[in-house]
Amino acid sequence: KLEVRSGRLFFSNHLWKKEDDFINEESIGAYAENDSNLTPVFFNFRTLYRTNETIIDGTFQNYPNTPTSRLLTIKARKNGAVLPEAKKTLPTSVSLSTFFSTWVSMRLPKWKPGQVIPFSSVLENDLEGGFQPVNGNARLDPQDEYAKKTSSYKLSLNFGGQPSYWWVDKQGVPFRIEFPSIQTVVNRSTEKEAQAFLQ
């Protein structure tokens, strides 16, 4: 779900993943400025893996007189225990990974086939990695048969060294994602299909 609140973009996502015969739950809420960089403002990430719960709150602030950097402050809890507060200085060009579809949709109108666009994002659940920015690039490819069938755009991505192929609508929301190196395919489905899969 993506909406505009007081001039800012608000994104929320609630998902269930079937892993090792367990259904694990994740949710995220995030705010970003409605600008070309999708400048991060705040995010909250919660995951429930079996009986283990992790909650992460991330807040971004501007540095006075330092327009190229911003401060990310992380407050987190694991199973109710408060973890030490962490701070990270990030370039202003870094966005939140959860806004990637929005990033794509903003560029599609002027994106030419074959053109490669770089980007840098922070993963909202990256406690172990210390919220280090991950660099990537995206290329708009010519339509293949699947893209023509679904009236979608095909993208080739490399994010953090992992290649993938995305077929997205004009809002940047995927119809299909393929990760060749890990032999994984993600397909858009109906709620009924998703519920049947999780049974």
Side-chain angles (χ1 to χ4, degrees), residues 12 34 54 62 86 94 125 139 147 158 160 171 178-179 183 197:
S12 62
N34 195 3
T54 302
N62 293 327
V94 171
N125 63 345
R139 184 186 70 220
N158 190 306
Q171 282 79 38
E178 294 183 2
F179 298 92
Q183 298 181 338
F197 176 79

Side-chain angles (χ1 to χ4, degrees), residues 105-117:
S105 68
M106 293 172 69
R107 285 152 180 80
L108 278 176
K110 296 183 178 180
W111 207 338
K112 298 179 180 179
Q115 180 184 6
V116 177
I117 303 179

Side-chain angles (χ1 to χ4, degrees), residues 103 116-121 134-138 157-161:
W103 181 91
V116 177
I117 303 179
F119 62 95
S120 184
S121 297
V134 180
N135 295 322
N137 58 69
L157 265 68
N158 190 306
F159 184 57

Side-chain angles (χ1 to χ4, degrees), residues 16 18 23 189-199:
W16 294 261
K18 192 173 185 179
I23 297 177
S189 68
T190 65
E191 182 178 352
K192 183 178 180 180
E193 290 170 335
Q195 288 177 342
F197 176 79
L198 292 174
Q199 296 300 319

Side-chain angles (χ1 to χ4, degrees), residues 145-162:
E145 288 304 314
Y146 184 82
K148 292 176 182 177
K149 178 182 177 181
T150 55
S151 298
S152 61
Y153 301 88
K154 182 184 178 184
L155 304 175
S156 293
L157 265 68
N158 190 306
F159 184 57
Q162 184 178 81

